[in-house]
């Protein structure tokens, strides 16, 4: 009889432990789903704006472009930003991509942070695009830019697709300087430091 009582007690304890484990697992799953939902909501309400575009370097082999993003959390939830990745298009042509860690920066509700990302492309490709552009749009002096990217936070990501154009008043002179790099075989000069490579205006075309 004592043995039967002990066995019954063990079974009762085991049942209670199993129920407790199920409650813990279920609670953890609900918490995980809530965090995913809260993060997705915060990302959908994150305003992503391009506030900077410049040629960091233009050498005979590769061109490097810096793009500044301003991120503003317009939700009531804090969000931990993991990284940003995107593809860059100039005048409708894919030229390169970038993937950058954001080091888990915390963006509180209605807080704003600025992030700089860098993209590299072949200078020969840039020259080809600019030559084609100037052949039909010689009076505009701007480059159409579009981005197809994703912003990651807490293991969730959200797509963003801003488009804009950058105005370069000395675009013709910039093209001539790049041509000179190739014709002279100059592998040292960086024409991005010249005033003719300066971007003077960024105008959003995203609706």
């Amino acid at each position: 009889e004592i043995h039967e009582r002990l066995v019954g007690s063990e079974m009762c304890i085991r049942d209670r432990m199993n129920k407790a484990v199920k409650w813990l697992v279920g609670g953890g799953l609900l918490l995980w789903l809530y965090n995913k939902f809260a993060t997705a909501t915060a990302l959908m309400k994150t305003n992503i704006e391009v506030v900077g575009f410049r040629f960091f370097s233009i050498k005979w082999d590769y061109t490097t472009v810096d793009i500044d993003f301003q991120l503003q959390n317009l939700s009531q939830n804090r969000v931990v930003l993991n990284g940003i990745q995107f593809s860059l298009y100039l005048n409708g042509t894919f030229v390169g991509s970038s993937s950058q860690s954001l080091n888990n920066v915390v963006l509180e509700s209605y807080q704003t942070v600025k992030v700089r990302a860098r993209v590299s492309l072949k200078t020969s490709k840039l020259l080809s695009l600019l030559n084609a552009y100037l052949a039909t749009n010689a009076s505009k002096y701007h480059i159409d830019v579009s981005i197809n990217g994703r912003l990651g936070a807490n293991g969730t990501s959200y797509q963003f697709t801003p488009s804009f154009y950058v105005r370069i008043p000395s675009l013709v002179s910039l093209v001539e300087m790049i041509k000179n790099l190739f014709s002279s075989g100059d592998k040292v000069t960086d024409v991005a430091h010249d005033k003719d490579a300066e971007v003077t205006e960024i105008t959003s075309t995203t609706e």
Side-chain angles (χ1 to χ4, degrees):
E1 183 180 345
I2 294 176
H3 178 266
E4 290 178 354
R5 289 179 181 178
L6 287 174
V7 171
S9 298
E10 288 177 357
M11 292 179 64
C12 183
I13 292 172
R14 190 182 304 116
D15 288 343
R16 289 178 180 176
M17 289 182 65
N18 287 338
K19 288 181 181 180
V21 169
K22 288 179 181 179
W23 274 103
L24 287 173
V25 172
L29 179 60
L30 287 174
L31 180 61
W32 181 82
L33 289 173
Y34 172 79
N35 287 335
K36 281 283 186 181
F37 176 78
T39 299
T41 300
L43 282 177
M44 290 177 65
K45 293 183 178 180
T46 299
N47 183 53
I48 305 174
E49 182 182 0
V50 176
V51 295
F53 182 102
R54 69 163 182 153
F55 292 109
F56 174 79
S57 175
I58 304 176
K59 293 187 176 181
W60 75 278
D61 51 355
Y62 279 95
T63 292
T64 305
V65 176
D66 280 349
I67 301 177
D68 293 332
F69 297 95
Q70 182 171 281
L71 314 176
Q72 184 179 21
N73 181 7
L74 299 178
S75 75
Q76 298 293 330
N77 302 312
R78 68 185 307 198
V79 61
V80 180
L81 301 176
N82 305 137
I84 187 170
Q85 59 183 20
F86 61 90
S87 297
L88 177 66
Y89 297 80
L90 300 182
N91 293 339
T93 300
F94 170 78
V95 295
S97 59
S98 177
S99 180
Q100 180 174 317
S101 171
L102 297 182
N103 299 317
N104 295 326
V105 62
V106 177
L107 195 59
E108 301 288 351
S109 178
Y110 294 99
Q111 185 180 3
T112 299
V113 66
K114 187 180 288 186
V115 175
R116 173 166 291 175
R118 184 163 288 176
V119 183
S120 292
L121 61 141
K122 288 187 175 181
T123 301
S124 58
K125 190 166 190 175
L126 175 65
L127 180 60
S128 177
L129 286 171
L130 296 183
N131 273 329
Y133 172 79
L134 289 175
T136 55
N137 301 276
S139 62
K140 291 186 178 179
Y141 301 112
H142 70 247
I143 302 174
D144 294 307
V145 183
S146 57
I147 290 172
N148 186 357
R150 301 196 75 85
L151 178 66
N154 298 355
T156 302
S157 66
Y158 178 71
Q159 185 177 23
F160 63 98
T161 55
S163 59
F164 55 98
Y165 68 81
V166 294
R167 181 171 174 78
I168 307 174
S170 302
L171 187 57
V172 174
S173 298
L174 174 60
V175 169
E176 290 302 318
M177 287 192 298
I178 297 175
K179 287 181 179 179
N180 289 336
L181 292 179
F182 290 100
S183 62
S184 65
D186 186 349
K187 299 182 180 182
V188 178
T189 301
D190 188 345
V191 299
H193 299 160
D194 194 283
K195 60 180 179 57
D196 288 339
E198 182 181 357
V199 173
T200 61
E201 179 184 349
I202 300 176
T203 303
S204 174
T205 56
T206 304
E207 295 183 357

